[in-house]
């Protein structure tokens, strides 16, 4: 499990850039500890989140995501948001570069792109006899 400290400013609307690595066939988890520009924890109380990854965002790419992360707030008041994929989901991913984003929505339905970046997926170990 990785843990990253990020700063997010709702006024700028600019997502934080973070590149991640997934090992195929292994559980994946990353916790983002989010702070406001004044260094106080971002309060995720009454927020919901979503996150997906796709192989490409190029023109002509399919709209279907290659994986959808589980998103949870491990400490809403403390600004801790976790994305995760189980081993079955990571096993089905082809090796290579993907893009992802993490989006949050406030209780008032304000949408923010919190994080975006690349994910490098490494193929799992073969278990053939």
């Amino acid at each position: 499990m990785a843990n990253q400290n990020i700063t997010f400013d709702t006024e700028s609307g600019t997502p934080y850039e973070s590149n991640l690595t997934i090992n195929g066939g292994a559980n994946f988890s990353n916790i983002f500890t989010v702070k406001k520009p004044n260094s106080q924890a971002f309060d995720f109380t009454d927020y919901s989140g979503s996150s997906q990854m796709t192989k490409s965002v190029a023109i002509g790419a399919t709209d279907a995501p290659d994986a959808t992360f589980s998103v949870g707030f491990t400490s809403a008041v403390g600004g801790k948001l976790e994305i995760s994929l189980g081993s079955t989901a990571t096993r089905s991913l082809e090796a290579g570069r993907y893009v992802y984003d993490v989006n949050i929505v406030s209780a008032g339905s304000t949408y923010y792109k919190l994080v975006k970046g690349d994910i490098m997926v490494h193929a799992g170990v073969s278990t053939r006899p």
Side-chain angles (χ1 to χ4, degrees):
M1 171 173 28
N3 192 355
Q4 295 176 318
N5 298 313
I6 67 172
T7 300
F8 182 67
D9 181 6
T10 57
E11 295 300 314
S12 75
T14 304
Y16 185 85
E17 297 248 355
S18 177
N19 297 329
L20 305 173
T21 301
I22 293 177
N23 293 310
N27 289 325
F28 168 81
S29 174
N30 192 88
I31 294 176
F32 296 99
T33 301
V34 184
K35 296 189 181 224
K36 298 179 198 176
N38 65 4
S39 298
Q40 291 182 338
F42 191 97
D43 187 352
F44 286 114
T45 301
D46 295 328
Y47 276 76
S48 61
S50 64
S51 181
Q52 296 179 327
M53 63 185 275
T54 186
K55 190 75 165 160
S56 175
V57 292
I59 295 172
T62 64
D63 290 334
D66 289 289
T68 298
F69 294 95
S70 294
V71 177
F73 299 98
T74 59
S75 174
V77 173
K80 294 185 183 290
L81 176 143
E82 179 180 20
I83 62 171
S84 61
L85 283 175
S87 60
T88 302
T90 65
R91 187 176 297 113
S92 67
L93 295 172
E94 292 182 26
R97 182 179 128 342
Y98 293 75
V99 294
Y100 81 103
D101 59 14
V102 179
N103 303 299
I104 56 173
V105 179
S106 70
S109 299
T110 303
Y111 168 91
Y112 301 101
K113 186 177 296 280
L114 180 68
V115 182
K116 69 176 186 171
D118 294 334
I119 296 180
M120 181 56 74
V121 174
H122 299 286
V125 177
S126 174
T127 57
R128 288 186 259 177

